[in-house]
Amino acid sequence: MKHGSQSFADGGKDLVDVLIVGGGPSGLSAALFLGRCMRKVLVCDAGHPRNESSPAMHGFLGHDGIPLAEFLEKCRKQLETYPSVTLKNTKVECIIRGSAGFIVRDVEENEWNAKSVLIAAGLSDELPDVPGIRDFYGVSVHHCPYCDGWENRGKKIGVIGNDRVAAELAEELLQWSSDIILFTNNPTISSEIAWVEKKNVRIVEGKISGLAGEGKILSEVRIEDGSVIRRESLFFSPAQAQHSTLAREIGCQLDHNCVGCDPDGRTQIEGLFAAGNATKGIQMAIMAAAEGLRTAAAINTWLIAYEKSYLSPPELTGSGFT
């Protein structure tokens, strides 16, 4: 079996203070804070952030409009200042409890021992059942008005959905445009959305047969009855799931697909923390970064107590994997 110890500064021990699953704004923010606390940190990231389809990140003071890849590269570069922090491009496959912490294994069968673990792998979004929608996602199709509403101000905007959540999203988007259409993507109008017509939102019934545009720039929404409606962007409220199944597999409680934890990121499993979009809260990069820092502070406090209990932490023995 291969081991990951070669990448660590001390060159010989598998035991890390914190293993962070996820290298987005939350995970990297936590790594920065913990690196400044002289903690030995390993960040494992598979390299597929939730918003990789978007050309730019918005709402992050000092970085508004920056491409996500550029932002993450800048963050990783800054972490090079801290020799106790290591970044590894890999996907964590399994986490189990060990005798004095956690045993973590990735898909390449590298294995590490960790006093604590932070899950910051975020969420994944489910796109609506609309032919061709992925071709426009991130540029003309969006799920967050706070992230992309400004760029679509004054445009002809559509919302996809046939429930109250979709209707509320359509109403919300009136802040950015007066031309909003709610596409039911269903042959009939749900009783949950009829009220939105009183807010000057037009409702269009019928299954969407496809989208048209040039490149990733949307121009038309096509309905199965043959109708063609000009729209410059679409929004939807996505169903979501944990980007990683690790929290559920280790026994964390999930609340509406979010990892259950206290405001400082502590889960009900001792030594296991969660932060960012994986937990409940506003799903924006700047909030994820802030939550990563706050949780890192709680982890450092927890580690101080851990080290009082284990003046010489016992070695974790055996992988525990079957």
Side-chain angles (χ1 to χ4, degrees):
M1 178 173 289
K2 297 178 289 182
H3 291 272
S5 59
Q6 299 92 329
S7 62
F8 291 107
D10 66 10
K13 295 181 180 178
D14 285 320
L15 184 65
V16 299
D17 292 320
V18 190
L19 190 141
I20 299 175
V21 181
S26 180
L28 295 180
S29 177
L32 174 65
F33 184 94
L34 291 162
R36 293 182 59 81
C37 292
M38 309 294 289
R39 293 297 182 183
K40 190 173 179 181
V41 180
L42 173 62
V43 181
C44 293
D45 181 67
H48 295 289
R50 176 188 179 192
N51 53 347
E52 63 182 334
S53 298
S54 178
M57 181 179 69
H58 297 111
F60 201 129
L61 186 63
H63 301 288
D64 188 48
I66 187 174
L68 177 66
E70 182 181 335
F71 171 77
L72 293 177
E73 181 58 31
K74 183 176 182 179
C75 293
R76 289 190 287 262
K77 187 70 176 175
Q78 289 182 343
L79 287 173
E80 292 178 4
T81 302
Y82 306 96
S84 66
V85 177
T86 300
L87 307 180
K88 185 171 179 62
N89 182 19
T90 189
K91 180 179 179 180
V92 172
E93 182 179 59
C94 191
I95 303 171
I96 65 168
R97 290 287 297 171
S99 59
F102 300 88
I103 304 167
V104 182
R105 187 178 69 183
D106 71 2
V107 292
E108 299 173 354
E109 296 188 357
N110 295 303
E111 191 174 299
W112 299 274
N113 298 323
K115 299 175 186 176
S116 62
V117 170
L118 169 60
I119 294 178
L123 296 169
S124 58
D125 301 302
E126 182 180 332
L127 297 183
D129 181 20
V130 172
I133 192 169
R134 190 168 294 278
D135 296 337
F136 298 93
Y137 186 49
V139 176
S140 299
V141 175
H142 314 280
H143 62 260
C144 175
Y146 297 113
C147 299
D148 298 291
W150 168 260
E151 284 68 33
N152 290 279
R153 64 195 184 279
K155 291 185 178 182
K156 298 179 183 298
I157 298 175
V159 175
I160 302 172
N162 198 30
D163 57 15
R164 187 167 188 87
V165 173
E168 290 173 348
L169 176 58
E171 181 186 29
E172 186 177 27
L173 281 162
L174 289 169
Q175 296 179 65
W176 289 275
S177 173
S178 60
D179 187 350
I180 307 292
I181 293 178
L182 177 58
F183 295 93
T184 65
N185 197 29
N186 193 284
T188 59
I189 296 178
S190 165
S191 60
E192 294 182 305
I193 70 170
W195 62 270
V196 80
E197 287 188 300
K198 296 178 181 179
K199 305 291 184 178
N200 294 320
V201 172
R202 178 184 167 196
I203 298 176
V204 172
E205 298 176 64
K207 191 77 173 172
I208 297 174
S209 60
L211 306 176
E214 184 174 344
K216 289 183 173 291
I217 306 303
L218 180 72
S219 59
E220 295 176 348
V221 177
R222 296 173 178 174
I223 310 300
E224 283 187 344
D225 65 5
S227 302
V228 176
I229 300 171
R230 178 164 174 74
R231 290 293 93 180
E232 296 170 281
S233 64
L234 291 173
F235 283 78
F236 66 98
S237 184
Q240 297 177 324
Q242 287 288 313
H243 193 68
S244 167
T245 60
L246 294 169
R248 185 184 71 246
E249 289 168 357
I250 200 172
C252 280
Q253 296 175 352
L254 297 183
D255 184 3
H256 293 87
N257 286 324
C258 293
V259 180
C261 59
D262 72 8
D264 289 327
R266 300 179 186 88
T267 72
Q268 81 275 20
I269 298 174
E270 188 70 19
L272 184 70
F273 296 78
N277 288 348
T279 66
K280 277 192 169 182
I282 298 175
Q283 295 177 6
M284 296 190 70
I286 193 167
M287 293 298 294
E291 289 173 15
L293 187 149
R294 182 174 62 186
T295 301
I299 291 172
N300 190 61
T301 299
W302 182 89
L303 285 167
I304 292 171
Y306 172 98
E307 288 155 355
K308 287 179 180 179
S309 300
Y310 294 97
L311 296 179
S312 298
E315 289 295 326
L316 301 182
T317 58
S319 71
F321 295 106
T322 58

